[in-house]
Amino acid sequence: MLGELLVGAQLISHAQLAEALLQQSATGKRIGSLLVEVGAVDERDLAHALSDQLQIPFVDLSQQTPLTEAIARLPESVARANLAIPLDIDAMGIRIAVADPSDEVRERLASATQQQVSLVIAPRSDVQRAIEAAYRALSNIEGYVRTFEETDTGRRPQDPGAVAVVADDAPVVQVVNLLITQALRDRASDIHLEPQDKRLRVRFRIDGALHDAVELPIGMAPALVSRLKIMAGMNIVERRRPQDGQITMQIDDREIDIRVATVATIWGEKCVLRILDKSRSLYRMGDLGMPVATHEQFARHIRAPFGMVLCAGPTGAGKTTTLYAALSEIDEPTRNIMTIEDPVEYVFPSINQIQTNEQAGITFADGLKSILRQDPDVILVGEIRDVETARIAVQSALTGHFVLSSLHATDSAAALHRFLDMGIESFLIASSVVAVVSQRLVRRICQRCKATYHPKDEELAFYEEGGGEPKEEFWQGLGCNFCAGTGYEDRIGVYELMRLSPEIKRLIVGWATQEELQRMAVSQGMRTLKDEAIRLISENVTTISEVVRSIYAV
């Protein structure tokens, strides 16, 4: 029995097994799946235990690349339904990795492939990721491109001022859907459609870095952009002025929002799509990557009865994620929490959220004014972009409301100076702002392919000058199937929390420089972005080159 095998290997206790057996009798789920769900056992340990019990070989899918011929034998629908990924094929049959091996699964796969099937075992999440990587939505894109080029639209040179009318069954519609589907499967946050002299380059931003996805004929560019404009409710005739729009659609049974932005370049309209996956679970405060001391201090600040907490950083630094985590932490039935956002990225069932709409006259400033008439306790302003919004937010914080907002700035001291530059009086800033958290996102080293390496001399010098602890071993990712050969997978936040102490408030009133504010905050215990990044290097979470790329500035 699998449960006894896991107990014998000291992977679980007798009590955990007994609890899982009770749940199995109530739910009918497999014992292994239940133990993984409750966190009693790791997926890889379970797969190894199954391998020993069933005498079926274990395979590491991060290093095993499935052959194209094998993939072609098993339809995608069958692979997804049975959590199976074909690996290779020869005269003896086809070898397929599965998460839950059984005679029934073997028979279904043999029927679908018309081959003799030999099973191997891999962790469930590894099989799912291998399926996503192998059955790429973009593999069918060439056929649609050829069909497009054979149409009148594809053969005729495009007039930049013409209106491209796109039928619902047109190849360009399918190409747009495939691009969005593949981007979602690749965990991309943005899609860039960039017209160039003789091609349309499509790139995905994955974990903060852009990667080439596919190249399309330049003749498709106007039709693709027109299709996206129609979906986003934008003006397809206007091709010279920048435009913004929004799309809501379902991909792979997941509801997503897409922000669309176009701008005219010398080769045509460039289009960027920001993908917001609504099915993604919301981060909690403890999941953000803050050190324990920073987390505890930030949690205290967001529970202030009034005042303002600012989240600063460049575009794509994770400011909204941090603000949402803060809201979920302080959301209580006794509080009236209201937000004004552009766009509403995640819907809270118990919070009143307002979407900006400039055509309807709902800007951040106007929305904030209306919120103040709704008896709020906590107000979230998605972003402070102008003087009027800044002034109303500051007045709200001074009149008994707690305000959370984001601001584009390089660090905490720079965020305070942004307020001063906007014309907000220094004494009002000192009286209203409670704390400023500045943040960045850096990529994590892929845990599947990490290995030791010797950094370059300039990298070592940077690490040592930054106060890094002496280390004998530095780690980096070599690149594998699961990190798309980059050596990185997923990201973690790097945080700098400045508490506005009486001394810092006096400096603000006296229009102190950013350097003076920074020095005072550091003398009072603040850890800078660079300090936190060096810590992540010393703990083998990220690499020196990634910190230099994402955070470091002279």
Side-chain angles (χ1 to χ4, degrees):
M1 178 184 169
L2 176 63
E4 294 171 352
L5 192 68
L6 292 170
V7 171
Q10 297 184 338
L11 294 172
I12 62 171
S13 64
H14 286 286
Q16 288 173 318
L17 175 60
E19 177 64 27
L21 288 170
L22 280 174
Q23 291 187 24
Q24 185 185 36
S25 62
T27 62
K29 292 184 179 180
R30 293 194 175 201
I31 191 77
S33 299
L34 286 169
L35 288 168
V36 171
E37 282 179 18
V38 299
V41 67
D42 179 73
E43 275 190 330
R44 294 184 78 78
D45 292 335
L46 175 65
H48 279 293
L50 277 170
S51 174
D52 293 340
Q53 183 194 30
L54 303 174
Q55 295 299 298
I56 296 176
F58 175 89
V59 65
D60 182 0
L61 292 178
S62 67
Q63 304 300 327
Q64 175 90 44
T65 304
L67 295 180
T68 307
E69 310 88 76
I71 295 295
R73 292 297 183 97
L74 186 66
E76 182 178 355
S77 57
V78 179
R80 292 184 181 279
N82 292 279
L83 265 183
I85 182 71
L87 298 178
D88 45 48
I89 189 168
D90 56 25
M92 301 297 293
I94 186 168
R95 191 166 65 108
I96 301 179
V98 295
D100 296 314
S102 67
D103 291 337
E104 294 81 6
V105 168
R106 189 194 305 270
E107 289 171 9
R108 285 197 293 269
L109 297 176
S111 174
T113 59
Q114 297 296 302
Q115 295 279 327
Q116 184 74 24
V117 171
S118 62
L119 296 181
V120 291
I121 289 179
R124 175 178 290 267
S125 61
D126 287 8
V127 175
Q128 287 174 331
R129 295 174 65 176
I131 290 172
E132 299 293 355
Y135 294 95
R136 293 185 65 80
L138 295 183
S139 60
N140 301 322
I141 202 167
E142 290 182 4
Y144 293 115
V145 171
R146 282 195 301 271
T147 305
F148 172 83
E149 290 179 323
E150 291 167 2
T151 64
D152 289 341
T153 307
R155 287 195 298 264
R156 192 170 57 247
Q158 293 293 300
D159 175 8
V163 180
V165 179
V166 185
D168 287 342
D169 59 348
V172 71
V173 174
Q174 304 301 324
V175 170
V176 167
N177 291 342
L178 290 176
L179 288 173
I180 296 172
T181 300
Q182 189 61 59
L184 192 64
R185 291 179 181 178
D186 286 349
R187 301 182 297 109
S189 60
D190 301 84
I191 305 173
H192 289 241
L193 280 71
E194 303 168 328
Q196 297 179 340
D197 186 12
K198 296 179 180 178
R199 64 170 183 164
L200 174 66
R201 180 166 71 161
V202 181
R203 295 192 289 173
F204 295 163
R205 187 178 293 279
I206 304 170
D207 289 337
L210 282 169
H211 303 275
D212 285 324
V214 68
E215 284 187 12
L216 299 173
I218 188 61
M220 288 196 78
L224 280 172
V225 173
S226 291
R227 171 60 185 170
L228 289 165
K229 283 182 174 180
I230 290 169
M231 295 171 71
M234 297 155 68
N235 184 353
I236 65 172
V237 179
E238 179 56 70
R239 292 177 178 271
R240 295 167 299 177
R241 288 187 301 182
Q243 292 189 63
D244 297 302
Q246 191 168 352
I247 301 170
T248 300
M249 61 192 302
Q250 277 205 333
I251 299 289
D252 290 343
D253 296 324
R254 289 148 72 181
E255 187 177 352
I256 60 170
D257 269 349
I258 302 172
R259 279 186 279 173
V260 183
T262 62
V263 67
T265 70
I266 59 171
W267 300 116
E269 280 189 287
K270 181 183 189 296
C271 187
V272 176
L273 283 65
R274 167 64 58 90
I275 300 173
L276 307 170
D277 185 0
K278 287 190 167 184
S279 66
R280 186 192 65 196
S281 59
L282 189 67
Y283 280 93
R284 304 290 297 179
M285 284 282 293
D287 303 328
L288 295 176
M290 285 185 182
V292 175
T294 305
H295 177 197
E296 290 175 352
Q297 194 175 0
F298 185 62
R300 284 198 303 273
H301 289 317
I302 62 174
R303 285 176 170 79
F306 57 87
M308 181 188 297
V309 171
L310 291 171
C311 192
T315 302
K319 300 186 296 295
T320 302
T321 300
T322 300
L323 291 175
Y324 278 168
L327 278 188
S328 65
E329 188 94 351
I330 61 177
D331 183 17
E332 296 173 357
T334 56
R335 284 192 169 120
N336 176 23
I337 302 177
M338 299 196 70
T339 75
I340 176 76
E341 305 171 62
D342 179 27
V344 173
E345 295 188 14
Y346 184 90
V347 177
F348 289 83
S350 56
I351 290 176
N352 306 289
Q353 295 170 273
I354 300 171
Q355 169 88 47
T356 61
N357 185 339
E358 292 196 9
Q359 292 180 339
I362 305 175
T363 62
F364 275 112
D366 293 330
L368 191 47
K369 288 177 186 174
S370 64
I371 285 175
L372 291 173
R373 295 191 288 270
Q374 295 291 319
D375 184 31
D377 297 301
V378 177
I379 302 169
L380 168 67
V381 183
E383 184 183 339
I384 294 178
R385 297 176 179 170
D386 53 65
V387 182
E388 188 180 5
T389 307
R391 193 167 292 282
I392 300 168
V394 166
Q395 294 293 346
S396 303
L398 290 171
T399 53
H401 306 93
F402 180 68
V403 180
L404 281 164
S405 188
S406 70
L407 192 68
H408 284 275
T410 52
D411 57 30
S412 303
L416 295 170
H417 265 259
R418 276 292 310 277
F419 262 20
L420 290 168
D421 293 340
M422 285 181 180
I424 307 299
E425 291 80 359
S426 58
F427 67 90
L428 292 179
I429 299 171
S431 303
S432 59
V433 179
V434 175
V436 183
V437 60
S438 177
Q439 68 180 89
R440 296 288 193 282
L441 292 174
V442 296
R443 293 181 292 176
R444 295 176 185 261
I445 298 170
C446 177
Q447 296 301 302
R448 303 299 178 84
C449 61
K450 68 178 183 178
T452 58
Y453 80 110
H454 187 70
K456 299 175 184 176
D457 290 342
E458 58 267 28
E459 290 182 339
L460 274 175
F462 167 80
Y463 177 74
E464 291 167 359
E465 288 169 9
E469 297 178 3
K471 289 183 61 172
E472 293 184 1
E473 291 183 333
F474 287 85
W475 293 78
Q476 68 176 359
L478 298 178
C480 66
N481 294 335
F482 290 160
C483 63
T486 63
Y488 298 98
E489 186 186 23
D490 209 358
R491 290 186 289 178
I492 186 171
V494 183
Y495 297 91
E496 170 186 287
L497 180 60
M498 179 186 284
R499 178 180 64 87
L500 265 70
S501 63
E503 293 80 10
I504 290 178
K505 289 181 179 181
R506 279 195 290 272
L507 287 176
I508 293 170
V509 172
W511 275 78
T513 64
Q514 292 184 32
E515 291 74 18
E516 290 172 325
L517 290 172
Q518 182 100 340
R519 277 198 300 270
M520 177 59 74
V522 169
S523 71
Q524 294 180 343
M526 182 185 83
R527 290 181 58 80
T528 65
L529 285 169
K530 188 175 177 181
D531 292 336
E532 285 301 310
I534 294 294
R535 178 184 63 82
L536 291 177
I537 296 170
S538 67
E539 294 175 359
N540 300 318
V541 176
T542 191
T543 62
I544 301 173
S545 60
E546 174 64 9
V547 168
V548 172
R549 183 190 74 87
S550 303
I551 296 174
Y552 177 64
V554 178

